[in-house]
Amino acid sequence: MSTVTRRSGPAIHDRSGVIGYSLSGAFYLPPQETIAIERGEGVRLIDTDGNAYIDLLAGSGAVLLGHGNAEIAAAIAEQARKGTHFYVLNERAIELGETLRRIIPCAEEIKFLPSGSEASMNAFRMCRAFTGKQKIMKFEGSFHGTNDYAMMSGWSQSPGYPVPSVDSLGIPDAIRDLVYVVPWNDLETTEKYLRAHAHEVAALICEPVQRTVPPVPGFLEAIRRITAELGILLVFDEMVTGWRMALGGAQEFYDVTPDVAIFGKAMTNGLPMTCIAGRADVIAGSRPAGAPAIGSRVFFGGTLNGNPLCAAAALQAIAIYARPGGHAHLRHIVGHLKQGIARSAARYGVPVQVVGPDSFFQIFFSETPVDSFAAQQASDSRLGYAFFRACLDHGLMMNSNARCYVPMVMTEAEADAALAIMDDAFAAVAALG
């Protein structure tokens, strides 16, 4: 298997210092090995040295239809000729809202934003205003963006439920005191703290598939029933599961309807647009009404909300997702990859757990099943990173924790090429002992 040749690493690393050596804050390579992407073509990325990578990072799951999709590019170009931004109501945003209301089970009303962090922050605000309660409950190990309320126990375990750990410097202690955490897939503990704190918890937020760990059978149905009973709003974070699991998201796939949901990533195939979708009575508090006095409604605003360029891309992407066969093909390719990974790992005697639904997955280096955050934390992250690096050096891009977002347009031949690289990577990992 050929190895990529990086000549520009140190120069790119030096130049990238102006933007802090990273765009996301998490994907960082040493100076000699730093890469910058020049362009994307279908399921491949090409760096400034001309190296091509099969792309299972897919823009952190956003580029579900591959890079440079001709139909989406045409829709963007057509809208660009008409205008890229208006700030006020525009036809493309209204049309997109109507489309989302038809296909997302919980969507009675829609609000658009540019990022997932803004979506979760505003959803929390709406839930607190609607219920009159101050606190949010989330699951340990879940990720809901980078606003202060979301950055709790996403990467480290709780010091003792329901108290969260704080994921970043700079977050006030007062914010930590407004968030509770409970363990994913543990219904007994979750119900215990929901009931104990129902008087102060406005909403329970979850990823219907937490990172890549699916819910155990009956878990989503149970938290839906309990939150409804207790007057706690249920929020689904469908940034990853939206569009990828089904046209209407995981709530359609699992047939569990939350009160509110947030969507983004693949909605536009990679442009910065997200949305809050949910019950009209919850979202209605953010509607403008003339010129209300300060504090008389939920403030909702943002210069680029409902951007027509992004809305045009979303409309075209959703039209493609709605065509017959796309999700079935994705499930086939993901199943093909999972089977090939299991064969290679077994061939080299490397214990792995390939975890995820039938549309995305993560490779954990562990001898025991991974069905909780604690089990994720107990897996061998050293081997996971070594596997990622071996794949990257041979032309396969994925997340540095071996999470793989498979493009819907990947062919079986492209999947086989990815599996050949992974096979060599497993050999390298096995040699580490």
Side-chain angles (χ1 to χ4, degrees):
M1 188 64 62
S2 61
T3 302
V4 299
T5 302
R6 302 189 185 109
R7 300 180 298 275
S8 306
I12 291 170
H13 187 270
D14 288 347
R15 289 179 59 213
S16 69
V18 71
I19 56 173
Y21 306 103
S22 174
L23 291 176
S24 70
F27 198 97
Y28 174 82
L29 292 170
Q32 290 295 120
E33 299 154 59
T34 301
I35 63 174
I37 301 303
E38 177 67 29
R39 66 188 187 278
E41 298 174 354
V43 300
R44 284 181 167 79
L45 297 172
I46 296 87
D47 70 16
T48 51
D49 284 324
N51 297 303
Y53 304 83
I54 299 171
D55 185 18
L56 292 181
L57 182 61
S60 192
V63 188
L64 182 53
L65 295 173
H67 301 284
N69 181 281
E71 292 180 84
I72 294 175
I76 293 170
E78 180 182 357
Q79 180 57 49
R81 287 190 291 269
K82 298 176 180 178
T84 59
H85 182 55
F86 308 125
Y87 186 70
V88 295
L89 284 174
N90 67 81
E91 181 59 32
R92 293 290 78 76
I94 294 171
E95 184 182 355
L96 178 57
E98 292 170 334
T99 300
L100 296 176
R101 186 168 59 185
R102 287 196 300 270
I103 63 178
I104 297 173
C106 76
E108 296 177 355
E109 192 164 320
I110 309 289
K111 290 290 187 183
F112 293 115
L113 309 99
S115 74
S117 295
E118 291 167 278
S120 62
M121 179 185 73
N122 280 275
F124 294 156
R125 183 181 294 170
M126 292 173 187
C127 291
R128 289 193 298 265
F130 181 78
T131 62
K133 295 184 283 186
Q134 295 291 304
K135 298 190 178 184
I136 301 297
M137 187 175 287
K138 69 182 291 285
F139 287 96
E140 181 184 52
S142 64
F143 180 69
H144 306 294
T146 58
N147 69 74
D148 286 355
Y149 290 91
M151 295 291 289
M152 301 286 170
S153 289
W155 292 283
S156 56
Q157 291 177 273
S158 164
Y161 303 123
V163 177
S165 58
V166 180
D167 290 334
S168 174
L169 297 175
I171 296 176
D173 290 343
I175 300 295
R176 179 199 59 201
D177 295 340
L178 292 172
V179 179
Y180 290 134
V181 296
V182 287
W184 177 245
N185 274 338
D186 182 339
L187 183 59
E188 181 179 359
T189 303
T190 299
E191 181 171 9
K192 171 185 173 181
Y193 288 112
L194 281 171
R195 292 192 180 280
H197 297 281
H199 63 287
E200 56 182 350
V201 172
L204 171 67
I205 186 169
C206 73
E207 299 171 280
V209 174
Q210 182 166 296
R211 307 288 67 210
T212 51
V213 179
V216 295
F219 186 73
L220 293 180
E221 293 86 348
I223 62 173
R224 171 66 288 183
R225 173 182 52 79
I226 295 164
T227 52
E229 175 194 338
L230 297 176
I232 296 170
L233 296 172
L234 179 61
V235 180
F236 277 5
D237 181 339
E238 296 235 40
M239 290 292 163
V240 171
T241 54
W243 326 114
R244 183 172 286 277
M245 292 191 72
L247 187 62
Q251 57 192 269
E252 175 190 326
F253 185 87
Y254 290 116
D255 193 24
V256 177
T257 304
D259 299 295
V260 175
I262 57 176
F263 286 80
K265 286 190 184 284
M267 182 167 77
T268 61
N269 202 51
L271 269 66
M273 178 181 246
T274 64
C275 76
I276 301 170
R279 285 169 41 182
D281 57 347
V282 175
I283 298 177
S286 62
R287 293 176 186 168
I294 297 295
S296 65
R297 64 181 173 92
V298 177
F299 179 81
F300 181 84
T303 300
L304 295 175
N305 289 358
N307 176 269
L309 208 63
C310 296
L315 285 163
Q316 186 58 58
I318 292 168
I320 297 171
Y321 298 141
R323 293 171 187 166
H327 287 93
H329 174 74
L330 177 60
R331 290 191 290 270
H332 168 72
I333 293 297
V334 169
H336 183 70
L337 285 167
K338 287 181 175 179
Q339 291 169 10
I341 290 165
R343 286 195 299 268
S344 287
R347 180 180 301 120
Y348 295 106
V350 179
V352 301
Q353 307 292 323
V354 186
V355 177
D358 54 8
S359 50
F360 60 101
F361 61 90
Q362 186 169 351
I363 304 166
F364 290 98
F365 289 79
S366 172
E367 294 184 355
T368 58
V370 175
D371 58 3
S372 67
F373 182 59
Q376 288 177 282
Q377 294 288 88
S379 67
D380 194 329
S381 59
R382 178 186 65 93
L383 292 184
Y385 186 75
F387 180 80
F388 152 73
R389 289 304 309 276
C391 287
L392 187 67
D393 289 344
H394 290 88
L396 176 60
M397 178 77 75
M398 64 178 66
N399 196 291
S400 59
N401 61 9
R403 184 184 303 131
C404 297
Y405 293 118
V406 181
M408 187 178 279
V409 294
M410 176 171 271
T411 66
E412 194 164 305
E414 290 166 335
D416 286 338
L419 287 171
I421 295 171
M422 289 188 197
D423 191 78
D424 283 354
F426 276 119
V429 167
L432 295 175

